[in-house]
Amino acid sequence: MSRLAVPKTYKLFIGGAFPRSESGRTYEVLKADGAFLANAAKASRKDARDAVVAARGAVAGWAGATAYNRGQVLYRIAELLEGRRAQFIAEIEDAEGATRALAAAQVDEAIDRWVWYAGWADKFAQVAGNANPVAGPYFNISVPEPTGVVAVVAPQDSSLVGLVSAVAPALVAGNAVVVVASERYPLSAISLAEVLATSDVPKGVVNILTGSPAEIAPWLASHADVNAIDLVGAADLDWIDLEIAAADTLKRVLRPEQGPDAAAPTLDRISAFTETKTVWHTKSLR
């Protein structure tokens, strides 16, 4: 008697937990050849709002951690990804129809990008900040600080690398993230959530939604408690309307990117979601 497979229903990741969508909706995730692969939760407006609430509650603790500690936490994620490398490779093979070699290269690139960003956690402030020359007996120092809650529309043509490339830089500076994963390739996103849940990342710092970016992104763009939005994966959406909605609540916006270099690792992606605080301090006249 042959054994029946038990297909997994992938859930959302909100506030460190794995809830089903409050709407009860799911959608089928298919293999590259059209065969059934799994079910994924289809997030709703309410799920997006819950994710923002979770992110807002986590910002103070994550931003208040030392930069060195944030680097340690991000590096731990890379360690856990390395330990589950085979699982991610298999998921990318199934979902994208990639060869094992190409899938392995994608996973390795994702791990390497986590390590790269982890290394900058306690260094980027020295590059992005400055000691400003001023007339008078004062120290004038500018330092970058996190902007708060960052919403992200992840690249839609990538299972893992695009997601990591958009989420990691926002975390480096101390922001909390709500990310809408690739609608077609969501499995690696929730597997990454399982990694985050077993790492040292505080609950609510990363929240992952699966489903339709066209449905969820407008609510995140217009949400008054979201401070910035990265539209890197929104090229196929009405992203200008999203940018207008973001402007109504004075959000910082990164526009869509396309091609193999979309969301490539740069310091600009870290500093894009920071605010500059300038401090004046009197010099001793002795």
Side-chain angles (χ1 to χ4, degrees), residues 45-90:
R45 172 190 180 185
K46 175 65 164 56
D47 297 318
R49 292 173 62 188
D50 289 346
V52 173
V53 170
R56 175 57 59 194
V59 166
W62 182 241
T66 65
Y68 177 74
N69 179 244
R70 285 199 297 271
Q72 287 180 309
V73 171
L74 292 177
Y75 187 81
R76 177 59 179 159
I77 296 170
E79 290 179 330
L80 293 172
L81 277 172
E82 186 76 46
R84 297 176 64 165
R85 183 173 177 272
Q87 173 191 346
F88 283 97
I89 290 173

Side-chain angles (χ1 to χ4, degrees), residues 180-195:
V180 185
S182 169
E183 183 175 14
R184 185 178 178 186
Y185 307 128
L187 304 193
S188 290
I190 299 303
S191 292
L192 177 62
E194 293 172 357
V195 167

Side-chain angles (χ1 to χ4, degrees), residues 224-235:
D225 212 20
V226 173
N227 303 106
I229 187 166
D230 185 350
L231 299 176
V232 59

Side-chain angles (χ1 to χ4, degrees), residues 235-254:
D236 293 332
L237 305 181
D238 293 327
W239 63 267
I240 294 179
D241 288 342
L242 295 175
E243 189 171 17
I244 291 171
D248 286 341
T249 48
L250 304 180
K251 290 178 179 60
R252 290 195 169 211
V253 177
L254 279 186

Side-chain angles (χ1 to χ4, degrees), residues 155-175:
Q156 297 296 296
D157 57 355
S158 169
S159 295
L160 184 63
V161 173
L163 181 75
V164 167
S165 301
V167 170
L171 298 178
V172 170
N175 297 296

